[in-house]
Amino acid sequence: MVKVSVILPIYNVAPYLDETFQSILCQTLTDIEIIAVNDGSTDDSEEIIRKYQQQDARIISVTQNNQGLSCARNTALRHVTGEYIYMMDSDDILSSPNALQACYEYAEKNQADFIFFDAERFTDHDYKHISDIQRTHLVDENKKYDGEFLLNLMLDTKLHNSVVWLLLINTNFLKKLHLTFYPGILHEDELFTTILTLSSSSVFALKESYVKHRIRSTSIMGKKYSDRNMNCYLTVADELLKFRQTPIVHKFLRYTLSAVFTTGRKIPFKQKSAVFWRAMRSGYLKYIGWKPAITFWL
């Protein structure tokens, strides 16, 4: 039986794809499948996927018209047969050949809903180390944590990070939640991971750094901050309040939207009115706060 399904949404990452595939295929855990979804790439990504698929039968290739990251991941989720799921960015690198083996064994031993680990960031042009993503030092290893407790802790320490590539998720747990990615938005991980976390009573931390995350100026997150970013965060807020209206959700929205509107000072002035009106109409000024609201306009 497949132990880990690696989900790999791919869009115009040909210069990095060899490295990514090689870091997966050299893993000591061999009972894996790699679900590569080519989301309408216009570069050589499809040829590279085919090259590796011919070499290794564990690669499942799906090609679709460009629909965005959420839809690509949702497509891959429909093909999953593994006990656990790892959602990897297609320009990232697994930093150890033992990464999936260690994560799988740790999650199995503890019967975790999901586990989380650390990572490091590096630049795409010179492999220069930028920074580490470190959160596991906040908790004990081999100790079960409630998701709400963990989210509270991450918010209080300002170490919250929503990215899914820091998680190994139990497939049965995810299926019971009927949780997928909201299509057509940026910052979809903020919604997915928050719901995942708040739905769990069995989260474990593995105190290792297993991912090298590439920072690219041409990636979605590397592009200029705009009203689209802000509107997507407001959609996340809309959906979270539909999911649950509890103190931790309100706390999360205060933490997130205050930062979003502080950063929003960078967007062109002509875009600001519509974004601010949407937030005000939705009753979100109580989460934003007056200082970020003033900063946004100045």
Side-chain angles (χ1 to χ4, degrees):
M1 183 177 181
V2 174
K3 292 178 178 176
V4 175
S5 297
V6 180
I7 287 179
L8 204 61
I10 295 167
Y11 180 70
N12 288 351
V13 288
Y16 317 106
L17 206 46
D18 280 307
E19 234 180 339
T20 301
F21 268 121
Q22 288 164 17
S23 79
I24 303 170
L25 296 175
C26 77
Q27 290 292 301
T28 57
L29 183 68
T30 58
D31 299 332
I32 64 173
E33 63 183 3
I34 302 102
I35 306 171
V37 179
N38 180 13
D39 189 43
S41 295
T42 56
D43 63 0
D44 295 331
S45 293
E46 181 69 23
E47 287 72 22
I48 296 170
I49 296 168
R50 284 202 201 102
K51 176 182 73 174
Y52 283 99
Q53 189 178 29
Q54 289 169 2
Q55 297 172 12
D56 200 311
R58 296 175 299 173
I59 297 173
I60 300 163
S61 175
V62 182
T63 300
Q64 63 185 34
N65 293 330
N66 181 245
Q67 299 173 51
L69 181 56
S70 289
C71 290
R73 285 177 175 159
N74 289 341
T75 295
L77 284 170
R78 292 194 288 272
H79 290 80
V80 161
T81 64
E83 298 172 54
Y84 292 87
I85 298 168
Y86 178 57
M87 302 188 196
M88 187 171 178
D89 275 8
S90 54
D91 55 353
D92 284 358
I93 303 167
L94 291 173
S95 55
S96 166
N98 192 47
L100 294 181
Q101 182 88 43
C103 288
Y104 172 78
E105 290 178 355
Y106 183 71
E108 269 292 278
K109 179 182 72 172
N110 290 296
Q111 291 297 290
D113 292 336
F114 68 90
I115 67 168
F116 67 98
F117 39 87
D118 296 325
E120 61 181 89
R121 299 182 182 98
F122 70 98
T123 55
D124 66 337
H125 57 283
D126 58 5
Y127 288 85
K128 184 178 179 182
H129 177 262
I130 299 174
S131 62
D132 295 320
I133 303 176
Q134 294 183 328
R135 300 178 299 161
T136 60
H137 65 281
L138 296 173
V139 295
D140 297 324
E141 204 166 74
N142 291 309
K143 181 176 179 180
K144 182 167 70 172
Y145 288 93
D146 175 82
E148 183 168 331
F149 171 87
L150 279 176
L151 184 56
N152 256 311
L153 179 63
M154 300 302 170
L155 295 177
D156 288 343
T157 55
K158 301 189 186 307
L159 289 176
H160 169 67
N161 199 310
S162 66
V163 292
V164 293
W165 41 264
L166 289 174
L167 314 176
L168 184 78
I169 305 169
N170 184 295
T171 303
N172 286 334
F173 172 66
L174 187 61
K175 286 182 176 179
K176 286 176 184 176
L177 297 180
H178 301 288
L179 180 61
T180 57
F181 290 88
Y182 192 97
I185 63 169
L186 306 174
H187 315 296
E188 66 288 324
D189 285 10
E190 291 282 355
L191 179 59
F192 181 93
T193 307
T194 303
I195 293 176
L196 183 81
T197 301
L198 291 178
S199 301
S200 174
S201 59
S202 182
V203 188
F204 288 81
L206 181 55
K207 297 191 175 190
E208 297 287 346
S209 181
Y210 279 133
V211 186
K212 291 183 178 180
H213 179 64
R214 194 185 304 264
I215 302 297
R216 293 187 288 130
S217 58
T218 56
S219 68
I220 293 174
M221 299 311 296
K223 292 179 180 176
K224 189 175 179 182
Y225 201 80
S226 70
D227 59 339
R228 186 184 175 202
N229 295 84
M230 300 193 70
N231 275 309
C232 288
Y233 274 117
L234 293 174
T235 298
V236 169
D238 294 342
E239 295 302 312
L240 276 178
L241 289 171
K242 290 178 187 175
F243 165 69
R244 191 174 293 173
Q245 295 198 29
T246 56
I248 185 60
V249 170
H250 298 310
K251 182 176 182 176
F252 173 83
L253 293 179
R254 285 193 298 272
Y255 177 94
T256 302
L257 293 183
S258 61
V260 166
F261 274 78
T262 298
T263 307
R265 70 188 185 278
K266 300 176 183 178
I267 73 172
F269 191 82
K270 63 182 180 181
Q271 296 179 357
K272 292 187 176 184
S273 294
V275 173
F276 197 80
W277 172 242
R278 177 182 172 184
M280 192 168 67
R281 191 174 66 245
S282 299
Y284 292 160
L285 292 186
K286 63 187 176 186
Y287 301 125
I288 297 166
W290 66 270
K291 284 185 179 180
I294 293 172
T295 302
F296 172 75
W297 285 106
L298 296 180

